[in-house]
Amino acid sequence: MPLEFGLWRVDDKPVRVTTKPMPLESRLEDLIEADPAILGKPLLLIGRQVPTPYGKVIDLLGIDAEGSLHVLELKRDRTPRDVVAQVLDYGSWVQELTNEQIREIYGTYARRKGLAEELDEAFSLTFGGSPPEALNSTHSLTVVASEIDAATERIVSYLASGFGVPVNVLFFRYFEDEGRSYLARTWLIDDADASVPSAGTKGRGKQELWNGTDWYASFGDETGGRSWEDALRYGFVSAGGGEWFSRTIRSLPLGARVFTHIPKVGYVGVGTVTGEPQPFDEAVLAVDGEERPMSDLPLAGVYRSGGGVAQQDGEDRREWIVPVMWEHAVPRTEALWRTGFFANQNSACKLRARFTIEEVSRHFGVVADPGGA
């Protein structure tokens, strides 16, 4: 049995506030939509009355900070068999949803609500960071009710505890006292965060499609270290200080289009990789049509070369340079940043974030590659 809450008014002597049936159980849907936090954890709603291909509609569909989907279904007046079967049927459909389909569901919801944000923006405003590359890796199913019968409790507990089905019941208790209304909540099963992998669709479908061309590069513009002023002037991206930092920048292939980001500043350039990665003391860059050793150029920054501290502890700490021809690049004072833009701690990685690609391309006047792979 779920934990039962009692509520007392204690202005003078204790007076118990009695539980009453909720006037309209469907009003719970409005309350949850107005403030999903009443469910007990941060949640971004991405759909309400979401149609499925089977002629049914999901009451509320949400996503959490890990990218897991949450199906919320109100019991209303259905029988135990009906409500449990319905939420399980929804789960069988939800586990197949791809990254693209999830974004389409949110887009429909946002337009209906008059919201301007893309999913990336709304996600960042809710959770303070970019969406994970893979959405819907797991999902959970929740029946929302003011009360349920013993049969429903037995069925849900049997599925969740015995077979690991990610289903639970969230109870709301409704109170009235001197003209005011109150809600209290409790879960049927203590582990309200239970979820299982969404195994129906191949993992790649959970990620945004990669167009096969665009990459992200993080350029750590640092006082006493590398300088974006140099990269802007001479055309390159770089990273160093250890294998973890240089490994990914060295993976940038010839012909890759690089969206370059200065951490905590914004995007400052889009360009094409024109040469193989090389350590600083071997790097050659094209300057005014002439090939010049980078070490001979007048540089604003400082770059680790071979030997000495660059090889301490047996680890390669040299700065690795990747030549880039900029399509459009700006000083760091003109960097572009918007809530929901992709940012990553790796020095380089494939860029799948369509919202970031489209907005940065539009701002810098370059053509976004529409391809997918």
Side-chain angles (χ1 to χ4, degrees):
M1 293 292 290
L3 178 66
E4 187 64 57
F5 285 109
L7 184 66
W8 282 262
R9 176 162 45 87
V10 290
D11 296 333
D12 186 10
K13 63 181 180 179
V15 176
R16 180 157 189 165
V17 180
T18 57
T19 304
K20 293 187 176 182
M22 195 162 191
L24 289 174
E25 195 172 47
S26 60
R27 183 170 174 239
L28 278 172
E29 194 171 313
D30 297 324
L31 295 172
I32 294 170
E33 184 179 37
D35 184 9
I38 67 175
L39 297 171
K41 67 178 298 182
L43 198 69
L44 169 65
L45 289 185
I46 63 171
R48 179 174 180 176
Q49 297 298 303
V50 180
T52 72
Y54 316 118
K56 301 292 185 179
V57 293
I58 297 173
D59 288 332
L60 293 167
L61 185 63
I63 191 169
D64 65 24
E66 285 73 46
S68 298
L69 293 187
H70 293 252
V71 175
L72 306 171
E73 185 67 11
L74 271 69
K75 176 182 175 294
R76 306 187 196 278
D77 296 320
R78 286 172 291 186
T79 66
R81 177 178 296 178
D82 285 343
V83 69
V84 175
Q86 192 69 74
V87 77
L88 292 176
D89 188 30
Y90 291 154
S92 72
W93 177 67
V94 162
Q95 74 168 351
E96 301 282 352
L97 290 177
T98 64
N99 192 298
E100 185 68 21
Q101 289 172 317
I102 292 167
R103 291 173 179 278
E104 290 174 359
I105 290 170
Y106 176 77
T108 299
Y109 177 70
R111 288 190 294 272
R112 188 167 65 239
K113 296 291 293 181
L115 303 174
E117 304 101 336
E118 296 278 349
L119 177 60
D120 303 68
E121 293 178 282
F123 191 97
S124 183
L125 289 169
T126 302
F127 303 116
S130 302
E133 287 194 356
L135 300 181
N136 193 24
S137 295
T138 61
H139 68 275
S140 63
L141 314 171
T142 302
V143 176
V144 180
S146 56
E147 60 181 5
I148 61 171
D149 52 46
T152 304
E153 289 188 27
R154 291 196 303 272
I155 292 170
V156 171
S157 297
Y158 175 71
L159 291 171
S161 302
F163 294 92
V165 178
V167 61
N168 207 340
V169 178
L170 179 60
F171 295 95
F172 279 97
R173 297 291 186 256
Y174 178 74
F175 301 87
E176 285 187 353
D177 180 51
E178 296 186 349
R180 294 189 176 185
S181 303
Y182 303 90
L183 282 179
R185 67 168 187 267
T186 182
W187 292 89
L188 174 63
I189 303 169
D190 287 340
D191 185 8
D193 293 326
S195 61
V196 298
S198 295
T201 301
K202 292 182 179 179
R204 62 174 290 179
K206 307 300 183 182
Q207 293 183 316
E208 287 195 87
L209 294 177
W210 183 50
N211 60 20
T213 300
D214 291 340
W215 289 70
Y216 165 90
S218 176
F219 191 92
D221 186 29
E222 305 165 347
T223 302
R226 72 184 65 85
S227 168
W228 172 245
E229 180 183 335
D230 293 333
L232 176 63
R233 180 179 180 184
Y234 299 119
F236 68 89
V237 293
S238 69
E243 292 286 350
W244 191 90
F245 299 101
S246 63
R247 174 178 50 82
T248 53
I249 204 77
R250 288 154 59 187
S251 71
L252 288 173
L254 274 171
R257 188 166 69 159
V258 179
F259 286 70
T260 304
H261 171 256
I262 297 177
K264 299 182 180 181
V265 177
Y267 282 85
V268 288
V270 180
T272 302
V273 173
T274 59
E276 299 288 346
Q278 292 183 309
F280 168 72
D281 47 7
E282 300 174 18
V284 176
L285 299 174
V287 181
D288 298 327
E290 178 185 356
E291 298 291 316
R292 299 270 306 274
M294 185 173 174
S295 57
D296 289 349
L297 298 174
L299 299 171
V302 177
Y303 304 87
R304 291 176 185 260
S305 58
V309 70
Q311 300 290 336
Q312 68 184 25
D313 303 324
E315 184 172 0
D316 184 358
R317 300 181 182 277
R318 294 174 295 176
E319 189 79 6
W320 283 79
I321 311 298
V322 179
V324 172
M325 178 179 292
W326 298 118
E327 287 185 61
H328 189 90
V330 298
R332 63 175 288 156
T333 54
E334 299 175 24
L336 173 68
W337 181 257
R338 281 185 57 182
T339 298
F341 273 2
F342 178 84
N344 191 287
Q345 60 184 346
N346 290 309
S347 298
C349 64
K350 294 174 181 177
L351 183 58
R352 303 174 184 270
R354 184 180 60 189
F355 171 65
T356 300
I357 293 170
E358 291 178 349
E359 292 302 310
V360 174
S361 297
R362 183 181 299 114
H363 182 80
F364 287 156
V366 300
V367 178
D369 189 332

